[in-house]
Amino acid sequence: YPSQPPRKTWPGPSEPSPTNVPEPEPNIFTDTRTWTLLLLGSDRRARSFRTDVILFVALRPELGTITLISFPRDLYVYIPGWRVNRINTAFFHGEHTGYPGGGPQLIRDVFLYNFGLRVDRYVLVDFEGFKRIVDALGGLEVPVACPYTDWRLKSPDLDPRKKENWTLYTVEPGIVYMDGETALWYVRARLRSSDYNRHLRQQAVLMALRMRLQEPRTWLQLPRLFGLLQEYAQTDLTWRDVLPFLPMLRSLDFRHIRQYRIAPPLVVSWRTPGGGRVLLPRRGRLADFFREALAPKPPPEPGTAVLVAVQNASGKAGWDTLALWRLQRFGYATLPFPESETVLERTQLIPLHGQNLKQAAPLLRDLGLSREAFTPQPETAPPNIFADWFLRLGKDYDPCFVPAVSRP
C-alpha cells in the first residue's frame, strides 16, 4: 500500500515562523498493512481557499476495520518549505507556490512531517461538489443524536451579507433526511458551536454516506457515482483503488469503525503574535494517540460480543436506530426489535439470563442510563429473544452522547 516512504531530508522554512519549527516526527504510525485516504473539504473562494474539513481514514482490509481521525483546521503545524501555519492553508500554498507535486504532495508532507502519518490517496471536494454528490445519492439519512441549532440562509441564492436573509434552523434527534444543501449546512455550521462539535457532525454524515452506499440500489450505481466523484472532486483515487475494498464496505458495521477527533488534551490553545487563535500539537501525547488509534485491533469475533435487543417504546421515531448506533459504537452486537405499541415513561434494561446490577453497570454507563433503568423483573416478560439483554426505550431516554473516542 505505501505510496509515500519516509524522507531523510526536508525543505527548511522560507519565512520566519511565529513559533519554533518542530523537528520531524521520528515515528511512522501507518504500517504497510494500512491503506490511507485523506478527505478534504474546501470553501474554494475566488482567489484562495482553505481545507476546513480534514478527515484522515485508515483501512485495514485483513481485519475489516476502519479508523477515522478528524483534524481541526486551526492546528498549527510546520508546512515544509514555508513556515509554521494553520494546517488548512497547506494545500492552497502547495498549489500556488510551485511546491514539487503541488498541493497534494504538500499536504502529504505535512502529515508525514508533523504526525508520522502516510497518506496514500486524497480527495478534495468543494462545497458545491459535496451538495451534488449527496443529491445524486438521493440524499442521506443522518443519525442526529443531539439537537442542533445554528444560523442558516433562508435560501441558498440569497445574499449572505444581509442579516435578514438568515434564520435559526434546528435538527432534532432522530434519523433525519438531508438533501445536499441541508447536509452541507450540517457539516459546516459553526456560528453556535465549536470545531470539535463540527467533527462529530461531519463523521455522522460520513456514517450516513456509508449506510447509503450499502443499499442494494446504490450498490448497482457505484461506477456511475464514482464517475460523479471524479467530476466534482480533485483526487488521485482510481476505480482500481476502490474495487478491493467493496466487499469490506458491504459487511461493515459500527463495531468495525473506530472514530476519533483531535481535541484537548492532545492540543493546547495559543494566540499568535498577530492575535489569531490556533491549536498547538502536544507531540508526545499525539504520538501515543496515533499508536492507540492505528493499532491493529480486530473487531469482536461473531458470537463473542454482548448481544442487546432494542425496542423503541419512546414514541419518538428513529430513536431505536440511534440506540443501535450508539451500542455498536461501543462494541456491542445488536438486534432490532419491532416497535412497541405502548409508550413507556421510563427506559427498561431487562436481563434475559439472570444478570445482576453489577453486570449491567457497563451497559448502563454506555447508554447514559441510571441504575433505575435496570429492570430484573419486568411486569410482562419479553417474548423469546435470543439476546443477552432487552432494551426498551422510554420517553426519558436521551439519545445525545459525545463519543470522543471509541473504547477498545
Side-chain angles (χ1 to χ4, degrees):
Y1 296 129
S3 62
Q4 187 179 18
R7 293 181 59 158
K8 294 182 179 179
T9 60
W10 291 95
S14 60
E15 299 178 13
S17 292
T19 185
N20 293 333
V21 174
E23 293 295 318
E25 169 58 50
N27 303 293
I28 304 297
F29 300 107
T30 43
D31 62 24
T32 58
R33 294 181 179 271
T34 304
W35 185 85
T36 64
L37 174 69
L38 189 62
L39 299 178
L40 304 169
S42 163
D43 52 7
R44 284 282 186 181
R45 296 174 186 141
R47 289 192 172 185
S48 65
F49 65 87
R50 296 189 176 193
T51 52
D52 284 347
V53 177
I54 305 172
L55 184 62
F56 182 82
V57 183
L59 297 91
R60 281 188 171 269
E62 81 281 6
L63 298 179
T65 60
I66 294 180
T67 296
L68 308 176
I69 306 175
S70 292
F71 285 75
R73 58 187 181 141
D74 291 331
L75 199 59
Y76 220 45
V77 297
Y78 176 56
I79 300 174
W82 187 20
R83 62 185 176 93
V84 176
N85 205 344
R86 287 178 172 85
I87 192 172
N88 66 349
T89 66
F91 197 100
F92 178 82
H93 183 79
E95 290 283 88
H96 294 271
T97 59
Y99 190 86
Q105 186 57 47
L106 183 52
I107 196 67
R108 282 186 166 97
D109 287 348
V110 164
F111 269 74
L112 196 60
Y113 185 100
N114 293 278
F115 313 122
L117 301 179
R118 190 190 73 250
V119 174
D120 293 321
R121 296 289 185 267
Y122 80 96
V123 176
L124 172 65
V125 183
D126 65 23
F127 297 141
E128 186 62 31
F130 175 84
K131 289 192 297 183
R132 290 178 177 270
I133 292 170
V134 171
D135 286 337
L137 286 165
L140 298 175
E141 301 284 342
V142 180
V144 177
C146 305
Y148 184 70
T149 300
D150 212 324
W151 291 100
R152 181 181 179 182
L153 278 174
K154 296 176 181 177
S155 175
D157 56 350
L158 293 177
D159 187 348
R161 296 169 296 181
K162 295 183 178 180
K163 184 178 179 180
E164 62 270 20
N165 291 339
W166 292 83
T167 186
L168 284 174
Y169 186 83
T170 299
V171 288
E172 298 290 349
I175 305 302
V176 180
Y177 171 80
M178 297 187 186
D179 60 11
E181 188 70 39
T182 304
L184 178 62
W185 167 82
Y186 193 62
V187 300
R188 286 196 69 198
R190 60 177 180 265
L191 296 177
R192 293 164 64 98
S193 72
S194 67
D195 246 10
Y196 306 126
N197 182 279
R198 281 208 309 162
H199 292 166
L200 296 176
R201 288 181 273 124
Q202 290 163 3
Q203 291 192 8
V205 169
L206 193 62
M207 294 302 97
L209 176 63
R210 175 198 67 85
M211 290 186 285
R212 180 68 84 205
L213 292 176
Q214 287 184 317
E215 296 176 359
R217 66 183 180 89
T218 306
W219 191 259
L220 297 174
Q221 301 176 38
L222 283 179
R224 181 182 69 85
L225 293 170
F226 186 78
L228 287 175
L229 176 67
Q230 291 187 309
E231 179 180 353
Y232 295 122
Q234 178 181 339
T235 181
D236 60 356
L237 187 67
T238 68
W239 183 243
R240 180 174 291 183
D241 294 325
V242 172
L243 276 175
F245 298 105
L246 293 183
M248 175 180 167
L249 176 65
R250 296 189 72 173
S251 61
L252 200 65
D253 67 22
F254 286 108
R255 289 179 299 152
H256 298 76
I257 302 172
R258 302 161 65 192
Q259 295 176 253
Y260 300 85
R261 56 191 179 127
I262 293 181
L266 301 175
V267 293
V268 61
S269 296
W270 187 68
R271 188 182 290 274
T272 69
R277 289 192 175 274
V278 296
L279 298 169
L280 294 178
R282 303 179 75 173
R283 299 290 293 271
R285 293 199 178 194
L286 272 176
D288 293 339
F289 167 79
F290 290 132
R291 287 190 187 95
E292 157 66 20
L294 297 169
K297 295 180 181 177
E301 291 292 329
T304 62
V306 174
L307 178 59
V308 183
V310 178
Q311 182 182 51
N312 190 3
S314 68
K316 304 290 183 67
W319 280 25
D320 52 339
T321 304
L322 293 177
L324 292 166
W325 176 55
R326 181 172 184 163
L327 287 164
Q328 290 176 10
R329 287 288 300 274
F330 285 118
Y332 297 95
T334 57
L335 176 67
F337 201 77
E339 187 169 348
S340 172
E341 296 180 1
T342 303
V343 175
L344 294 178
E345 291 294 324
R346 301 185 65 83
T347 299
Q348 297 177 344
L349 179 63
I350 303 169
L352 299 180
H353 302 289
Q355 299 97 317
N356 58 33
L357 181 58
K358 183 177 181 180
Q359 293 168 306
L363 189 50
L364 291 170
R365 180 197 63 220
D366 293 339
L367 287 166
L369 299 174
S370 68
R371 60 190 299 170
E372 285 72 27
F374 179 65
T375 313
Q377 295 179 338
E379 295 179 3
T380 304
N384 294 327
I385 305 174
F386 297 99
D388 300 300
W389 299 89
F390 185 37
L391 176 65
R392 303 187 72 196
L393 302 173
K395 290 168 63 176
D396 67 330
Y397 178 67
D398 183 1
C400 184
F401 77 115
V402 180
V405 298
S406 300
R407 285 195 300 106

